[in-house]
PDB file of all heavy atoms in Angstrom:
ATOM      1  N   PHE A   1       0.818  -1.213   0.000  1.00 74.00           N
ATOM      2  CA  PHE A   1      -0.001   0.001   0.001  1.00 74.00           C
ATOM      3  C   PHE A   1       0.853   1.266   0.000  1.00 74.00           C
ATOM      4  O   PHE A   1       0.400   2.319  -0.425  1.00 74.00           O
ATOM      5  CB  PHE A   1      -0.924   0.014   1.219  1.00 74.00           C
ATOM      6  CG  PHE A   1      -2.014  -1.020   1.159  1.00 74.00           C
ATOM      7  CD1 PHE A   1      -1.804  -2.318   1.615  1.00 74.00           C
ATOM      8  CD2 PHE A   1      -3.260  -0.700   0.623  1.00 74.00           C
ATOM      9  CE1 PHE A   1      -2.807  -3.268   1.560  1.00 74.00           C
ATOM     10  CE2 PHE A   1      -4.274  -1.647   0.561  1.00 74.00           C
ATOM     11  CZ  PHE A   1      -4.049  -2.938   1.028  1.00 74.00           C
ATOM     12  N   PHE A   2       2.091   1.169   0.472  1.00 76.00           N
ATOM     13  CA  PHE A   2       2.950   2.339   0.563  1.00 76.00           C
ATOM     14  C   PHE A   2       4.016   2.420  -0.538  1.00 76.00           C
ATOM     15  O   PHE A   2       4.536   3.486  -0.809  1.00 76.00           O
ATOM     16  CB  PHE A   2       3.660   2.383   1.928  1.00 76.00           C
ATOM     17  CG  PHE A   2       2.739   2.686   3.071  1.00 76.00           C
ATOM     18  CD1 PHE A   2       2.600   1.792   4.114  1.00 76.00           C
ATOM     19  CD2 PHE A   2       2.008   3.858   3.097  1.00 76.00           C
ATOM     20  CE1 PHE A   2       1.755   2.062   5.181  1.00 76.00           C
ATOM     21  CE2 PHE A   2       1.151   4.147   4.160  1.00 76.00           C
ATOM     22  CZ  PHE A   2       1.026   3.246   5.203  1.00 76.00           C
ATOM     23  N   SER A   3       4.330   1.284  -1.143  1.00 76.00           N
ATOM     24  CA  SER A   3       5.454   1.295  -2.080  1.00 76.00           C
ATOM     25  C   SER A   3       5.095   0.808  -3.477  1.00 76.00           C
ATOM     26  O   SER A   3       5.424   1.452  -4.473  1.00 76.00           O
ATOM     27  CB  SER A   3       6.611   0.453  -1.522  1.00 76.00           C
ATOM     28  OG  SER A   3       6.194  -0.877  -1.287  1.00 76.00           O
ATOM     29  N   ASN A   4       4.400  -0.333  -3.566  1.00 78.00           N
ATOM     30  CA  ASN A   4       4.147  -0.919  -4.883  1.00 78.00           C
ATOM     31  C   ASN A   4       2.809  -0.452  -5.439  1.00 78.00           C
ATOM     32  O   ASN A   4       1.816  -1.180  -5.473  1.00 78.00           O
ATOM     33  CB  ASN A   4       4.164  -2.451  -4.771  1.00 78.00           C
ATOM     34  CG  ASN A   4       4.484  -3.100  -6.108  1.00 78.00           C
ATOM     35  OD1 ASN A   4       4.195  -2.531  -7.159  1.00 78.00           O
ATOM     36  ND2 ASN A   4       5.075  -4.286  -6.069  1.00 78.00           N
ATOM     37  N   PHE A   5       2.790   0.805  -5.902  1.00 85.00           N
ATOM     38  CA  PHE A   5       1.539   1.407  -6.375  1.00 85.00           C
ATOM     39  C   PHE A   5       1.042   0.783  -7.680  1.00 85.00           C
ATOM     40  O   PHE A   5      -0.148   0.810  -7.964  1.00 85.00           O
ATOM     41  CB  PHE A   5       1.714   2.916  -6.534  1.00 85.00           C
ATOM     42  CG  PHE A   5       1.984   3.623  -5.235  1.00 85.00           C
ATOM     43  CD1 PHE A   5       3.220   4.200  -4.981  1.00 85.00           C
ATOM     44  CD2 PHE A   5       1.000   3.689  -4.247  1.00 85.00           C
ATOM     45  CE1 PHE A   5       3.471   4.843  -3.777  1.00 85.00           C
ATOM     46  CE2 PHE A   5       1.244   4.318  -3.036  1.00 85.00           C
ATOM     47  CZ  PHE A   5       2.489   4.903  -2.797  1.00 85.00           C
ATOM     48  N   GLU A   6       1.965   0.239  -8.469  1.00 89.00           N
ATOM     49  CA  GLU A   6       1.559  -0.395  -9.726  1.00 89.00           C
ATOM     50  C   GLU A   6       0.686  -1.630  -9.447  1.00 89.00           C
ATOM     51  O   GLU A   6      -0.368  -1.803 -10.056  1.00 89.00           O
ATOM     52  CB  GLU A   6       2.794  -0.802 -10.535  1.00 89.00           C
ATOM     53  CG  GLU A   6       2.426  -1.414 -11.891  1.00 89.00           C
ATOM     54  CD  GLU A   6       3.646  -1.895 -12.658  1.00 89.00           C
ATOM     55  OE1 GLU A   6       4.785  -1.596 -12.239  1.00 89.00           O
ATOM     56  OE2 GLU A   6       3.450  -2.596 -13.672  1.00 89.00           O
ATOM     57  N   VAL A   7       1.127  -2.466  -8.508  1.00 89.00           N
ATOM     58  CA  VAL A   7       0.354  -3.644  -8.114  1.00 89.00           C
ATOM     59  C   VAL A   7      -0.986  -3.223  -7.531  1.00 89.00           C
ATOM     60  O   VAL A   7      -2.044  -3.782  -7.859  1.00 89.00           O
ATOM     61  CB  VAL A   7       1.135  -4.500  -7.093  1.00 89.00           C
ATOM     62  CG1 VAL A   7       0.213  -5.525  -6.429  1.00 89.00           C
ATOM     63  CG2 VAL A   7       2.295  -5.209  -7.781  1.00 89.00           C
ATOM     64  N   LEU A   8      -0.950  -2.209  -6.664  1.00 90.00           N
ATOM     65  CA  LEU A   8      -2.167  -1.722  -6.027  1.00 90.00           C
ATOM     66  C   LEU A   8      -3.161  -1.211  -7.071  1.00 90.00           C
ATOM     67  O   LEU A   8      -4.373  -1.470  -6.983  1.00 90.00           O
ATOM     68  CB  LEU A   8      -1.815  -0.605  -5.042  1.00 90.00           C
ATOM     69  CG  LEU A   8      -2.844  -0.286  -3.956  1.00 90.00           C
ATOM     70  CD1 LEU A   8      -3.146  -1.509  -3.105  1.00 90.00           C
ATOM     71  CD2 LEU A   8      -2.346   0.862  -3.096  1.00 90.00           C
ATOM     72  N   PHE A   9      -2.655  -0.494  -8.066  1.00 93.00           N
ATOM     73  CA  PHE A   9      -3.522   0.031  -9.133  1.00 93.00           C
ATOM     74  C   PHE A   9      -4.163  -1.094  -9.939  1.00 93.00           C
ATOM     75  O   PHE A   9      -5.366  -1.066 -10.230  1.00 93.00           O
ATOM     76  CB  PHE A   9      -2.715   0.948 -10.065  1.00 93.00           C
ATOM     77  CG  PHE A   9      -3.483   1.375 -11.288  1.00 93.00           C
ATOM     78  CD1 PHE A   9      -4.477   2.350 -11.200  1.00 93.00           C
ATOM     79  CD2 PHE A   9      -3.242   0.770 -12.535  1.00 93.00           C
ATOM     80  CE1 PHE A   9      -5.200   2.729 -12.331  1.00 93.00           C
ATOM     81  CE2 PHE A   9      -3.962   1.143 -13.651  1.00 93.00           C
ATOM     82  CZ  PHE A   9      -4.939   2.122 -13.550  1.00 93.00           C
ATOM     83  N   LEU A  10      -3.360  -2.110 -10.293  1.00 95.00           N
ATOM     84  CA  LEU A  10      -3.887  -3.218 -11.092  1.00 95.00           C
ATOM     85  C   LEU A  10      -4.939  -4.018 -10.318  1.00 95.00           C
ATOM     86  O   LEU A  10      -5.971  -4.396 -10.868  1.00 95.00           O
ATOM     87  CB  LEU A  10      -2.736  -4.139 -11.529  1.00 95.00           C
ATOM     88  CG  LEU A  10      -1.771  -3.569 -12.562  1.00 95.00           C
ATOM     89  CD1 LEU A  10      -0.604  -4.523 -12.781  1.00 95.00           C
ATOM     90  CD2 LEU A  10      -2.484  -3.285 -13.881  1.00 95.00           C
ATOM     91  N   VAL A  11      -4.669  -4.255  -9.035  1.00 95.00           N
ATOM     92  CA  VAL A  11      -5.636  -4.970  -8.188  1.00 95.00           C
ATOM     93  C   VAL A  11      -6.926  -4.157  -8.084  1.00 95.00           C
ATOM     94  O   VAL A  11      -8.032  -4.701  -8.217  1.00 95.00           O
ATOM     95  CB  VAL A  11      -5.042  -5.231  -6.784  1.00 95.00           C
ATOM     96  CG1 VAL A  11      -6.130  -5.715  -5.819  1.00 95.00           C
ATOM     97  CG2 VAL A  11      -3.922  -6.255  -6.858  1.00 95.00           C
ATOM     98  N   ALA A  12      -6.780  -2.849  -7.854  1.00 95.00           N
ATOM     99  CA  ALA A  12      -7.951  -1.969  -7.734  1.00 95.00           C
ATOM    100  C   ALA A  12      -8.739  -1.919  -9.040  1.00 95.00           C
ATOM    101  O   ALA A  12      -9.975  -1.901  -9.024  1.00 95.00           O
ATOM    102  CB  ALA A  12      -7.507  -0.560  -7.328  1.00 95.00           C
ATOM    103  N   LEU A  13      -8.038  -1.922 -10.170  1.00 96.00           N
ATOM    104  CA  LEU A  13      -8.695  -1.873 -11.479  1.00 96.00           C
ATOM    105  C   LEU A  13      -9.556  -3.116 -11.697  1.00 96.00           C
ATOM    106  O   LEU A  13     -10.711  -3.024 -12.130  1.00 96.00           O
ATOM    107  CB  LEU A  13      -7.646  -1.751 -12.591  1.00 96.00           C
ATOM    108  CG  LEU A  13      -8.184  -1.733 -14.030  1.00 96.00           C
ATOM    109  CD1 LEU A  13      -9.098  -0.530 -14.251  1.00 96.00           C
ATOM    110  CD2 LEU A  13      -7.028  -1.722 -15.036  1.00 96.00           C
ATOM    111  N   VAL A  14      -8.982  -4.288 -11.402  1.00 97.00           N
ATOM    112  CA  VAL A  14      -9.736  -5.547 -11.556  1.00 97.00           C
ATOM    113  C   VAL A  14     -10.975  -5.536 -10.673  1.00 97.00           C
ATOM    114  O   VAL A  14     -12.075  -5.914 -11.106  1.00 97.00           O
ATOM    115  CB  VAL A  14      -8.838  -6.766 -11.212  1.00 97.00           C
ATOM    116  CG1 VAL A  14      -9.677  -8.044 -11.159  1.00 97.00           C
ATOM    117  CG2 VAL A  14      -7.723  -6.916 -12.241  1.00 97.00           C
ATOM    118  N   LEU A  15     -10.831  -5.094  -9.439  1.00 96.00           N
ATOM    119  CA  LEU A  15     -11.959  -5.071  -8.498  1.00 96.00           C
ATOM    120  C   LEU A  15     -13.004  -4.036  -8.889  1.00 96.00           C
ATOM    121  O   LEU A  15     -14.213  -4.280  -8.773  1.00 96.00           O
ATOM    122  CB  LEU A  15     -11.460  -4.807  -7.077  1.00 96.00           C
ATOM    123  CG  LEU A  15     -10.692  -5.973  -6.457  1.00 96.00           C
ATOM    124  CD1 LEU A  15      -9.926  -5.535  -5.227  1.00 96.00           C
ATOM    125  CD2 LEU A  15     -11.638  -7.125  -6.115  1.00 96.00           C
ATOM    126  N   PHE A  16     -12.565  -2.878  -9.368  1.00 97.00           N
ATOM    127  CA  PHE A  16     -13.511  -1.848  -9.811  1.00 97.00           C
ATOM    128  C   PHE A  16     -14.361  -2.351 -10.977  1.00 97.00           C
ATOM    129  O   PHE A  16     -15.592  -2.208 -10.976  1.00 97.00           O
ATOM    130  CB  PHE A  16     -12.758  -0.577 -10.224  1.00 97.00           C
ATOM    131  CG  PHE A  16     -13.671   0.506 -10.747  1.00 97.00           C
ATOM    132  CD1 PHE A  16     -14.383   1.317  -9.875  1.00 97.00           C
ATOM    133  CD2 PHE A  16     -13.837   0.692 -12.113  1.00 97.00           C
ATOM    134  CE1 PHE A  16     -15.240   2.304 -10.353  1.00 97.00           C
ATOM    135  CE2 PHE A  16     -14.683   1.669 -12.606  1.00 97.00           C
ATOM    136  CZ  PHE A  16     -15.382   2.480 -11.716  1.00 97.00           C
ATOM    137  N   LEU A  17     -13.714  -2.959 -11.955  1.00 97.00           N
ATOM    138  CA  LEU A  17     -14.448  -3.473 -13.118  1.00 97.00           C
ATOM    139  C   LEU A  17     -15.361  -4.633 -12.729  1.00 97.00           C
ATOM    140  O   LEU A  17     -16.480  -4.758 -13.254  1.00 97.00           O
ATOM    141  CB  LEU A  17     -13.460  -3.927 -14.199  1.00 97.00           C
ATOM    142  CG  LEU A  17     -12.633  -2.815 -14.866  1.00 97.00           C
ATOM    143  CD1 LEU A  17     -11.597  -3.413 -15.798  1.00 97.00           C
ATOM    144  CD2 LEU A  17     -13.535  -1.838 -15.612  1.00 97.00           C
ATOM    145  N   SER A  18     -14.908  -5.472 -11.793  1.00 96.00           N
ATOM    146  CA  SER A  18     -15.684  -6.653 -11.403  1.00 96.00           C
ATOM    147  C   SER A  18     -16.856  -6.325 -10.496  1.00 96.00           C
ATOM    148  O   SER A  18     -17.858  -7.047 -10.506  1.00 96.00           O
ATOM    149  CB  SER A  18     -14.766  -7.665 -10.686  1.00 96.00           C
ATOM    150  OG  SER A  18     -13.705  -8.061 -11.520  1.00 96.00           O
ATOM    151  N   ILE A  19     -16.739  -5.265  -9.721  1.00 96.00           N
ATOM    152  CA  ILE A  19     -17.818  -4.904  -8.787  1.00 96.00           C
ATOM    153  C   ILE A  19     -18.668  -3.769  -9.361  1.00 96.00           C
ATOM    154  O   ILE A  19     -19.845  -3.966  -9.682  1.00 96.00           O
ATOM    155  CB  ILE A  19     -17.240  -4.523  -7.408  1.00 96.00           C
ATOM    156  CG1 ILE A  19     -16.531  -5.743  -6.797  1.00 96.00           C
ATOM    157  CG2 ILE A  19     -18.345  -4.029  -6.476  1.00 96.00           C
ATOM    158  CD1 ILE A  19     -15.781  -5.443  -5.496  1.00 96.00           C
ATOM    159  N   PHE A  20     -18.087  -2.596  -9.530  1.00 96.00           N
ATOM    160  CA  PHE A  20     -18.845  -1.457 -10.054  1.00 96.00           C
ATOM    161  C   PHE A  20     -19.251  -1.688 -11.507  1.00 96.00           C
ATOM    162  O   PHE A  20     -20.423  -1.516 -11.871  1.00 96.00           O
ATOM    163  CB  PHE A  20     -18.009  -0.175  -9.952  1.00 96.00           C
ATOM    164  CG  PHE A  20     -17.946   0.415  -8.573  1.00 96.00           C
ATOM    165  CD1 PHE A  20     -17.030  -0.060  -7.639  1.00 96.00           C
ATOM    166  CD2 PHE A  20     -18.796   1.448  -8.196  1.00 96.00           C
ATOM    167  CE1 PHE A  20     -16.971   0.482  -6.360  1.00 96.00           C
ATOM    168  CE2 PHE A  20     -18.746   1.992  -6.922  1.00 96.00           C
ATOM    169  CZ  PHE A  20     -17.818   1.510  -5.999  1.00 96.00           C
ATOM    170  N   GLY A  21     -18.276  -2.082 -12.338  1.00 96.00           N
ATOM    171  CA  GLY A  21     -18.558  -2.263 -13.772  1.00 96.00           C
ATOM    172  C   GLY A  21     -19.600  -3.335 -14.020  1.00 96.00           C
ATOM    173  O   GLY A  21     -20.567  -3.128 -14.753  1.00 96.00           O
ATOM    174  N   LEU A  22     -19.426  -4.484 -13.389  1.00 96.00           N
ATOM    175  CA  LEU A  22     -20.367  -5.598 -13.562  1.00 96.00           C
ATOM    176  C   LEU A  22     -21.749  -5.221 -13.015  1.00 96.00           C
ATOM    177  O   LEU A  22     -22.778  -5.587 -13.592  1.00 96.00           O
ATOM    178  CB  LEU A  22     -19.832  -6.842 -12.856  1.00 96.00           C
ATOM    179  CG  LEU A  22     -20.519  -8.178 -13.174  1.00 96.00           C
ATOM    180  CD1 LEU A  22     -20.523  -8.470 -14.660  1.00 96.00           C
ATOM    181  CD2 LEU A  22     -19.831  -9.307 -12.419  1.00 96.00           C
ATOM    182  N   GLY A  23     -21.762  -4.474 -11.920  1.00 95.00           N
ATOM    183  CA  GLY A  23     -23.040  -4.015 -11.353  1.00 95.00           C
ATOM    184  C   GLY A  23     -23.799  -3.126 -12.328  1.00 95.00           C
ATOM    185  O   GLY A  23     -25.020  -3.274 -12.503  1.00 95.00           O
ATOM    186  N   TRP A  24     -23.098  -2.190 -12.970  1.00 96.00           N
ATOM    187  CA  TRP A  24     -23.748  -1.304 -13.942  1.00 96.00           C
ATOM    188  C   TRP A  24     -24.255  -2.076 -15.167  1.00 96.00           C
ATOM    189  O   TRP A  24     -25.355  -1.811 -15.659  1.00 96.00           O
ATOM    190  CB  TRP A  24     -22.761  -0.216 -14.383  1.00 96.00           C
ATOM    191  CG  TRP A  24     -22.482   0.793 -13.316  1.00 96.00           C
ATOM    192  CD1 TRP A  24     -23.348   1.257 -12.357  1.00 96.00           C
ATOM    193  CD2 TRP A  24     -21.236   1.454 -13.066  1.00 96.00           C
ATOM    194  NE1 TRP A  24     -22.727   2.161 -11.535  1.00 96.00           N
ATOM    195  CE2 TRP A  24     -21.431   2.317 -11.939  1.00 96.00           C
ATOM    196  CE3 TRP A  24     -19.977   1.416 -13.672  1.00 96.00           C
ATOM    197  CZ2 TRP A  24     -20.413   3.115 -11.433  1.00 96.00           C
ATOM    198  CZ3 TRP A  24     -18.966   2.210 -13.164  1.00 96.00           C
ATOM    199  CH2 TRP A  24     -19.182   3.051 -12.060  1.00 96.00           C
ATOM    200  N   VAL A  25     -23.449  -3.016 -15.626  1.00 96.00           N
ATOM    201  CA  VAL A  25     -23.874  -3.832 -16.783  1.00 96.00           C
ATOM    202  C   VAL A  25     -25.124  -4.632 -16.432  1.00 96.00           C
ATOM    203  O   VAL A  25     -26.074  -4.708 -17.231  1.00 96.00           O
ATOM    204  CB  VAL A  25     -22.729  -4.785 -17.232  1.00 96.00           C
ATOM    205  CG1 VAL A  25     -23.242  -5.798 -18.250  1.00 96.00           C
ATOM    206  CG2 VAL A  25     -21.568  -3.986 -17.817  1.00 96.00           C
ATOM    207  N   TYR A  26     -25.144  -5.206 -15.226  1.00 95.00           N
ATOM    208  CA  TYR A  26     -26.305  -6.015 -14.835  1.00 95.00           C
ATOM    209  C   TYR A  26     -27.562  -5.159 -14.677  1.00 95.00           C
ATOM    210  O   TYR A  26     -28.658  -5.587 -15.022  1.00 95.00           O
ATOM    211  CB  TYR A  26     -26.030  -6.773 -13.530  1.00 95.00           C
ATOM    212  CG  TYR A  26     -27.095  -7.807 -13.255  1.00 95.00           C
ATOM    213  CD1 TYR A  26     -27.108  -9.008 -13.951  1.00 95.00           C
ATOM    214  CD2 TYR A  26     -28.118  -7.565 -12.334  1.00 95.00           C
ATOM    215  CE1 TYR A  26     -28.096  -9.952 -13.734  1.00 95.00           C
ATOM    216  CE2 TYR A  26     -29.113  -8.504 -12.108  1.00 95.00           C
ATOM    217  CZ  TYR A  26     -29.088  -9.693 -12.814  1.00 95.00           C
ATOM    218  OH  TYR A  26     -30.081 -10.617 -12.614  1.00 95.00           O
ATOM    219  N   GLU A  27     -27.394  -3.937 -14.180  1.00 94.00           N
ATOM    220  CA  GLU A  27     -28.528  -3.003 -14.078  1.00 94.00           C
ATOM    221  C   GLU A  27     -29.158  -2.786 -15.449  1.00 94.00           C
ATOM    222  O   GLU A  27     -30.380  -2.818 -15.596  1.00 94.00           O
ATOM    223  CB  GLU A  27     -28.061  -1.656 -13.525  1.00 94.00           C
ATOM    224  CG  GLU A  27     -27.937  -1.607 -12.033  1.00 94.00           C
ATOM    225  CD  GLU A  27     -27.512  -0.228 -11.559  1.00 94.00           C
ATOM    226  OE1 GLU A  27     -27.653   0.754 -12.330  1.00 94.00           O
ATOM    227  OE2 GLU A  27     -27.045  -0.118 -10.422  1.00 94.00           O
ATOM    228  N   PHE A  28     -28.306  -2.556 -16.441  1.00 95.00           N
ATOM    229  CA  PHE A  28     -28.778  -2.308 -17.809  1.00 95.00           C
ATOM    230  C   PHE A  28     -29.521  -3.527 -18.357  1.00 95.00           C
ATOM    231  O   PHE A  28     -30.613  -3.411 -18.921  1.00 95.00           O
ATOM    232  CB  PHE A  28     -27.570  -1.968 -18.702  1.00 95.00           C
ATOM    233  CG  PHE A  28     -27.919  -1.784 -20.148  1.00 95.00           C
ATOM    234  CD1 PHE A  28     -28.492  -0.599 -20.589  1.00 95.00           C
ATOM    235  CD2 PHE A  28     -27.689  -2.801 -21.067  1.00 95.00           C
ATOM    236  CE1 PHE A  28     -28.816  -0.428 -21.938  1.00 95.00           C
ATOM    237  CE2 PHE A  28     -28.005  -2.654 -22.399  1.00 95.00           C
ATOM    238  CZ  PHE A  28     -28.578  -1.458 -22.843  1.00 95.00           C
ATOM    239  N   ILE A  29     -28.914  -4.727 -18.161  1.00 95.00           N
ATOM    240  CA  ILE A  29     -29.525  -5.963 -18.671  1.00 95.00           C
ATOM    241  C   ILE A  29     -30.852  -6.252 -17.966  1.00 95.00           C
ATOM    242  O   ILE A  29     -31.849  -6.605 -18.600  1.00 95.00           O
ATOM    243  CB  ILE A  29     -28.562  -7.156 -18.496  1.00 95.00           C
ATOM    244  CG1 ILE A  29     -27.335  -6.977 -19.398  1.00 95.00           C
ATOM    245  CG2 ILE A  29     -29.259  -8.479 -18.814  1.00 95.00           C
ATOM    246  CD1 ILE A  29     -26.234  -7.982 -19.154  1.00 95.00           C
ATOM    247  N   ALA A  30     -30.874  -6.076 -16.635  1.00 94.00           N
ATOM    248  CA  ALA A  30     -32.090  -6.344 -15.858  1.00 94.00           C
ATOM    249  C   ALA A  30     -33.231  -5.424 -16.283  1.00 94.00           C
ATOM    250  O   ALA A  30     -34.389  -5.855 -16.369  1.00 94.00           O
ATOM    251  CB  ALA A  30     -31.810  -6.185 -14.367  1.00 94.00           C
ATOM    252  N   ALA A  31     -32.904  -4.147 -16.567  1.00 92.00           N
ATOM    253  CA  ALA A  31     -33.926  -3.193 -17.012  1.00 92.00           C
ATOM    254  C   ALA A  31     -34.479  -3.596 -18.370  1.00 92.00           C
ATOM    255  O   ALA A  31     -35.697  -3.521 -18.607  1.00 92.00           O
ATOM    256  CB  ALA A  31     -33.333  -1.782 -17.063  1.00 92.00           C
ATOM    257  N   ARG A  32     -33.596  -4.038 -19.250  1.00 94.00           N
ATOM    258  CA  ARG A  32     -34.031  -4.460 -20.598  1.00 94.00           C
ATOM    259  C   ARG A  32     -34.896  -5.719 -20.523  1.00 94.00           C
ATOM    260  O   ARG A  32     -35.821  -5.889 -21.324  1.00 94.00           O
ATOM    261  CB  ARG A  32     -32.807  -4.723 -21.490  1.00 94.00           C
ATOM    262  CG  ARG A  32     -32.099  -3.464 -21.963  1.00 94.00           C
ATOM    263  CD  ARG A  32     -33.026  -2.623 -22.828  1.00 94.00           C
ATOM    264  NE  ARG A  32     -32.409  -1.423 -23.332  1.00 94.00           N
ATOM    265  CZ  ARG A  32     -31.822  -1.306 -24.528  1.00 94.00           C
ATOM    266  NH1 ARG A  32     -31.767  -2.357 -25.336  1.00 94.00           N
ATOM    267  NH2 ARG A  32     -31.301  -0.160 -24.901  1.00 94.00           N
ATOM    268  N   LEU A  33     -34.580  -6.609 -19.589  1.00 92.00           N
ATOM    269  CA  LEU A  33     -35.344  -7.853 -19.453  1.00 92.00           C
ATOM    270  C   LEU A  33     -36.643  -7.668 -18.674  1.00 92.00           C
ATOM    271  O   LEU A  33     -37.452  -8.589 -18.581  1.00 92.00           O
ATOM    272  CB  LEU A  33     -34.487  -8.924 -18.764  1.00 92.00           C
ATOM    273  CG  LEU A  33     -33.268  -9.433 -19.548  1.00 92.00           C
ATOM    274  CD1 LEU A  33     -32.453 -10.391 -18.685  1.00 92.00           C
ATOM    275  CD2 LEU A  33     -33.699 -10.116 -20.848  1.00 92.00           C
ATOM    276  N   GLY A  34     -36.831  -6.484 -18.109  1.00 91.00           N
ATOM    277  CA  GLY A  34     -38.051  -6.200 -17.374  1.00 91.00           C
ATOM    278  C   GLY A  34     -38.137  -6.894 -16.025  1.00 91.00           C
ATOM    279  O   GLY A  34     -39.228  -7.163 -15.517  1.00 91.00           O
ATOM    280  N   ILE A  35     -36.985  -7.183 -15.397  1.00 91.00           N
ATOM    281  CA  ILE A  35     -36.968  -7.817 -14.072  1.00 91.00           C
ATOM    282  C   ILE A  35     -37.433  -6.804 -13.028  1.00 91.00           C
ATOM    283  O   ILE A  35     -37.050  -5.639 -13.071  1.00 91.00           O
ATOM    284  CB  ILE A  35     -35.551  -8.332 -13.727  1.00 91.00           C
ATOM    285  CG1 ILE A  35     -35.107  -9.377 -14.754  1.00 91.00           C
ATOM    286  CG2 ILE A  35     -35.507  -8.927 -12.328  1.00 91.00           C
ATOM    287  CD1 ILE A  35     -33.652  -9.790 -14.630  1.00 91.00           C
ATOM    288  N   LYS A  36     -38.278  -7.233 -12.113  1.00 91.00           N
ATOM    289  CA  LYS A  36     -38.775  -6.350 -11.049  1.00 91.00           C
ATOM    290  C   LYS A  36     -37.611  -5.672 -10.326  1.00 91.00           C
ATOM    291  O   LYS A  36     -36.592  -6.303 -10.058  1.00 91.00           O
ATOM    292  CB  LYS A  36     -39.605  -7.146 -10.045  1.00 91.00           C
ATOM    293  CG  LYS A  36     -40.987  -7.531 -10.541  1.00 91.00           C
ATOM    294  CD  LYS A  36     -41.675  -8.460  -9.555  1.00 91.00           C
ATOM    295  CE  LYS A  36     -41.886  -7.784  -8.216  1.00 91.00           C
ATOM    296  NZ  LYS A  36     -42.625  -8.675  -7.264  1.00 91.00           N
ATOM    297  N   LYS A  37     -37.769  -4.387 -10.007  1.00 91.00           N
ATOM    298  CA  LYS A  37     -36.697  -3.620  -9.396  1.00 91.00           C
ATOM    299  C   LYS A  37     -36.185  -4.246  -8.103  1.00 91.00           C
ATOM    300  O   LYS A  37     -34.984  -4.276  -7.839  1.00 91.00           O
ATOM    301  CB  LYS A  37     -37.153  -2.185  -9.128  1.00 91.00           C
ATOM    302  CG  LYS A  37     -37.217  -1.319 -10.381  1.00 91.00           C
ATOM    303  CD  LYS A  37     -37.564   0.113 -10.029  1.00 91.00           C
ATOM    304  CE  LYS A  37     -37.595   0.977 -11.288  1.00 91.00           C
ATOM    305  NZ  LYS A  37     -37.944   2.393 -10.979  1.00 91.00           N
ATOM    306  N   GLU A  38     -37.114  -4.749  -7.269  1.00 91.00           N
ATOM    307  CA  GLU A  38     -36.720  -5.340  -5.982  1.00 91.00           C
ATOM    308  C   GLU A  38     -35.848  -6.571  -6.192  1.00 91.00           C
ATOM    309  O   GLU A  38     -34.818  -6.746  -5.543  1.00 91.00           O
ATOM    310  CB  GLU A  38     -37.966  -5.724  -5.167  1.00 91.00           C
ATOM    311  CG  GLU A  38     -38.830  -4.548  -4.758  1.00 91.00           C
ATOM    312  CD  GLU A  38     -39.807  -4.132  -5.851  1.00 91.00           C
ATOM    313  OE1 GLU A  38     -39.824  -4.788  -6.926  1.00 91.00           O
ATOM    314  OE2 GLU A  38     -40.532  -3.150  -5.641  1.00 91.00           O
ATOM    315  N   VAL A  39     -36.275  -7.428  -7.127  1.00 91.00           N
ATOM    316  CA  VAL A  39     -35.531  -8.659  -7.423  1.00 91.00           C
ATOM    317  C   VAL A  39     -34.189  -8.321  -8.075  1.00 91.00           C
ATOM    318  O   VAL A  39     -33.154  -8.909  -7.739  1.00 91.00           O
ATOM    319  CB  VAL A  39     -36.357  -9.602  -8.321  1.00 91.00           C
ATOM    320  CG1 VAL A  39     -35.525 -10.816  -8.755  1.00 91.00           C
ATOM    321  CG2 VAL A  39     -37.619 -10.058  -7.597  1.00 91.00           C
TER     322      VAL A  39
END
């Protein structure tokens, strides 16, 4: 966390895309499929 910023950036990038990115993609797909908002 204090020295190897390149590793930290790559790890953060993978997690950002897998959590935030995947969440946004699923929101779009769920809306198109007409899935109830609660579900």
Side-chain angles (χ1 to χ4, degrees):
F1 291 87
F2 290 121
S3 58
N4 204 332
F5 295 112
E6 182 183 350
V7 166
L8 200 58
F9 172 76
L10 290 173
V11 169
L13 178 62
V14 171
L15 289 165
F16 177 80
L17 293 174
S18 301
I19 297 174
F20 283 83
L22 193 56
W24 289 326
V25 169
Y26 191 77
E27 278 182 18
F28 176 79
I29 293 171
R32 286 297 181 95
L33 293 175
I35 299 171
K36 285 173 62 177
K37 284 185 179 180
E38 296 84 2
V39 174

